[in-house]
PDB file of all heavy atoms in Angstrom:
ATOM      1  N   TYR A  24     -80.292 -84.572  29.671  1.00  0.00           N
ATOM      2  CA  TYR A  24     -80.706 -84.142  31.003  1.00  0.00           C
ATOM      3  C   TYR A  24     -81.091 -85.350  31.857  1.00  0.00           C
ATOM      4  O   TYR A  24     -80.793 -85.415  33.037  1.00  0.00           O
ATOM      5  CB  TYR A  24     -81.908 -83.187  30.920  1.00  0.00           C
ATOM      6  CG  TYR A  24     -81.571 -81.800  30.396  1.00  0.00           C
ATOM      7  CD1 TYR A  24     -82.586 -80.897  30.089  1.00  0.00           C
ATOM      8  CD2 TYR A  24     -80.254 -81.396  30.227  1.00  0.00           C
ATOM      9  CE1 TYR A  24     -82.296 -79.624  29.619  1.00  0.00           C
ATOM     10  CE2 TYR A  24     -79.954 -80.122  29.748  1.00  0.00           C
ATOM     11  CZ  TYR A  24     -80.985 -79.233  29.448  1.00  0.00           C
ATOM     12  OH  TYR A  24     -80.694 -77.988  28.993  1.00  0.00           O
ATOM     13  N   ALA A  25     -81.758 -86.307  31.240  1.00  0.00           N
ATOM     14  CA  ALA A  25     -82.209 -87.488  31.988  1.00  0.00           C
ATOM     15  C   ALA A  25     -81.019 -88.205  32.623  1.00  0.00           C
ATOM     16  O   ALA A  25     -81.020 -88.534  33.809  1.00  0.00           O
ATOM     17  CB  ALA A  25     -82.974 -88.437  31.063  1.00  0.00           C
ATOM     18  N   TYR A  26     -79.989 -88.433  31.800  1.00  0.00           N
ATOM     19  CA  TYR A  26     -78.788 -89.126  32.283  1.00  0.00           C
ATOM     20  C   TYR A  26     -78.095 -88.288  33.364  1.00  0.00           C
ATOM     21  O   TYR A  26     -77.634 -88.809  34.369  1.00  0.00           O
ATOM     22  CB  TYR A  26     -77.840 -89.394  31.109  1.00  0.00           C
ATOM     23  CG  TYR A  26     -76.572 -90.129  31.514  1.00  0.00           C
ATOM     24  CD1 TYR A  26     -76.540 -91.518  31.589  1.00  0.00           C
ATOM     25  CD2 TYR A  26     -75.407 -89.418  31.819  1.00  0.00           C
ATOM     26  CE1 TYR A  26     -75.384 -92.185  31.957  1.00  0.00           C
ATOM     27  CE2 TYR A  26     -74.242 -90.082  32.193  1.00  0.00           C
ATOM     28  CZ  TYR A  26     -74.237 -91.472  32.249  1.00  0.00           C
ATOM     29  OH  TYR A  26     -73.091 -92.127  32.626  1.00  0.00           O
ATOM     30  N   ALA A  27     -78.066 -86.976  33.109  1.00  0.00           N
ATOM     31  CA  ALA A  27     -77.398 -86.090  34.042  1.00  0.00           C
ATOM     32  C   ALA A  27     -78.072 -86.148  35.414  1.00  0.00           C
ATOM     33  O   ALA A  27     -77.412 -86.199  36.449  1.00  0.00           O
ATOM     34  CB  ALA A  27     -77.407 -84.657  33.526  1.00  0.00           C
ATOM     35  N   LEU A  28     -79.408 -86.159  35.401  1.00  0.00           N
ATOM     36  CA  LEU A  28     -80.118 -86.182  36.689  1.00  0.00           C
ATOM     37  C   LEU A  28     -79.920 -87.510  37.402  1.00  0.00           C
ATOM     38  O   LEU A  28     -79.822 -87.571  38.610  1.00  0.00           O
ATOM     39  CB  LEU A  28     -81.615 -85.916  36.457  1.00  0.00           C
ATOM     40  CG  LEU A  28     -81.929 -84.456  36.085  1.00  0.00           C
ATOM     41  CD1 LEU A  28     -83.317 -84.330  35.465  1.00  0.00           C
ATOM     42  CD2 LEU A  28     -81.806 -83.557  37.308  1.00  0.00           C
ATOM     43  N   GLU A  29     -79.817 -88.585  36.601  1.00  0.00           N
ATOM     44  CA  GLU A  29     -79.696 -89.900  37.206  1.00  0.00           C
ATOM     45  C   GLU A  29     -78.259 -90.188  37.651  1.00  0.00           C
ATOM     46  O   GLU A  29     -78.036 -90.706  38.734  1.00  0.00           O
ATOM     47  CB  GLU A  29     -80.152 -90.967  36.189  1.00  0.00           C
ATOM     48  CG  GLU A  29     -80.123 -92.374  36.769  1.00  0.00           C
ATOM     49  CD  GLU A  29     -80.151 -93.439  35.669  1.00  0.00           C
ATOM     50  OE1 GLU A  29     -80.418 -93.077  34.485  1.00  0.00           O
ATOM     51  OE2 GLU A  29     -79.892 -94.601  35.977  1.00  0.00           O
ATOM     52  N   LYS A  30     -77.288 -89.815  36.832  1.00  0.00           N
ATOM     53  CA  LYS A  30     -75.915 -90.270  37.067  1.00  0.00           C
ATOM     54  C   LYS A  30     -74.944 -89.177  37.504  1.00  0.00           C
ATOM     55  O   LYS A  30     -74.007 -89.416  38.256  1.00  0.00           O
ATOM     56  CB  LYS A  30     -75.366 -90.934  35.782  1.00  0.00           C
ATOM     57  CG  LYS A  30     -76.004 -92.282  35.497  1.00  0.00           C
ATOM     58  CD  LYS A  30     -75.528 -93.298  36.498  1.00  0.00           C
ATOM     59  CE  LYS A  30     -75.920 -94.716  36.131  1.00  0.00           C
ATOM     60  NZ  LYS A  30     -75.498 -95.641  37.200  1.00  0.00           N
ATOM     61  N   ILE A  31     -75.140 -87.982  36.945  1.00  0.00           N
ATOM     62  CA  ILE A  31     -74.134 -86.936  37.221  1.00  0.00           C
ATOM     63  C   ILE A  31     -74.528 -86.107  38.443  1.00  0.00           C
ATOM     64  O   ILE A  31     -73.702 -85.799  39.286  1.00  0.00           O
ATOM     65  CB  ILE A  31     -73.913 -86.033  35.982  1.00  0.00           C
ATOM     66  CG1 ILE A  31     -73.517 -86.916  34.785  1.00  0.00           C
ATOM     67  CG2 ILE A  31     -72.828 -85.010  36.256  1.00  0.00           C
ATOM     68  CD1 ILE A  31     -73.353 -86.158  33.485  1.00  0.00           C
ATOM     69  N   TYR A  32     -75.818 -85.784  38.543  1.00  0.00           N
ATOM     70  CA  TYR A  32     -76.257 -84.962  39.679  1.00  0.00           C
ATOM     71  C   TYR A  32     -75.869 -85.568  41.037  1.00  0.00           C
ATOM     72  O   TYR A  32     -75.441 -84.842  41.927  1.00  0.00           O
ATOM     73  CB  TYR A  32     -77.761 -84.677  39.603  1.00  0.00           C
ATOM     74  CG  TYR A  32     -78.251 -83.959  40.818  1.00  0.00           C
ATOM     75  CD1 TYR A  32     -77.943 -82.602  41.011  1.00  0.00           C
ATOM     76  CD2 TYR A  32     -78.967 -84.616  41.819  1.00  0.00           C
ATOM     77  CE1 TYR A  32     -78.334 -81.938  42.154  1.00  0.00           C
ATOM     78  CE2 TYR A  32     -79.367 -83.962  42.965  1.00  0.00           C
ATOM     79  CZ  TYR A  32     -79.048 -82.616  43.134  1.00  0.00           C
ATOM     80  OH  TYR A  32     -79.430 -81.970  44.270  1.00  0.00           O
ATOM     81  N   PRO A  33     -76.000 -86.904  41.213  1.00  0.00           N
ATOM     82  CA  PRO A  33     -75.620 -87.479  42.520  1.00  0.00           C
ATOM     83  C   PRO A  33     -74.169 -87.203  42.904  1.00  0.00           C
ATOM     84  O   PRO A  33     -73.834 -87.210  44.085  1.00  0.00           O
ATOM     85  CB  PRO A  33     -75.846 -88.980  42.335  1.00  0.00           C
ATOM     86  CG  PRO A  33     -76.845 -89.077  41.243  1.00  0.00           C
ATOM     87  CD  PRO A  33     -76.585 -87.932  40.332  1.00  0.00           C
ATOM     88  N   LEU A  34     -73.324 -86.939  41.910  1.00  0.00           N
ATOM     89  CA  LEU A  34     -71.919 -86.643  42.230  1.00  0.00           C
ATOM     90  C   LEU A  34     -71.808 -85.347  43.012  1.00  0.00           C
ATOM     91  O   LEU A  34     -70.864 -85.146  43.766  1.00  0.00           O
ATOM     92  CB  LEU A  34     -71.079 -86.543  40.949  1.00  0.00           C
ATOM     93  CG  LEU A  34     -71.068 -87.775  40.040  1.00  0.00           C
ATOM     94  CD1 LEU A  34     -70.212 -87.514  38.807  1.00  0.00           C
ATOM     95  CD2 LEU A  34     -70.547 -88.990  40.771  1.00  0.00           C
ATOM     96  N   VAL A  35     -72.779 -84.460  42.825  1.00  0.00           N
ATOM     97  CA  VAL A  35     -72.793 -83.216  43.591  1.00  0.00           C
ATOM     98  C   VAL A  35     -72.840 -83.551  45.074  1.00  0.00           C
ATOM     99  O   VAL A  35     -72.158 -82.954  45.895  1.00  0.00           O
ATOM    100  CB  VAL A  35     -74.026 -82.360  43.215  1.00  0.00           C
ATOM    101  CG1 VAL A  35     -74.180 -81.188  44.181  1.00  0.00           C
ATOM    102  CG2 VAL A  35     -73.911 -81.866  41.791  1.00  0.00           C
ATOM    103  N   ASN A  36     -73.642 -84.549  45.390  1.00  0.00           N
ATOM    104  CA  ASN A  36     -73.825 -84.896  46.803  1.00  0.00           C
ATOM    105  C   ASN A  36     -72.660 -85.675  47.392  1.00  0.00           C
ATOM    106  O   ASN A  36     -72.618 -85.935  48.569  1.00  0.00           O
ATOM    107  CB  ASN A  36     -75.123 -85.689  46.971  1.00  0.00           C
ATOM    108  CG  ASN A  36     -76.311 -84.841  46.598  1.00  0.00           C
ATOM    109  OD1 ASN A  36     -76.259 -83.629  46.747  1.00  0.00           O
ATOM    110  ND2 ASN A  36     -77.350 -85.458  46.078  1.00  0.00           N
TER     111      ASN A  36
END
Side-chain angles (χ1 to χ4, degrees):
Chain A
Y24 287 171
Y26 181 86
L28 288 163
E29 183 198 348
K30 289 289 190 183
I31 304 176
Y32 174 73
L34 302 179
V35 170
N36 296 331

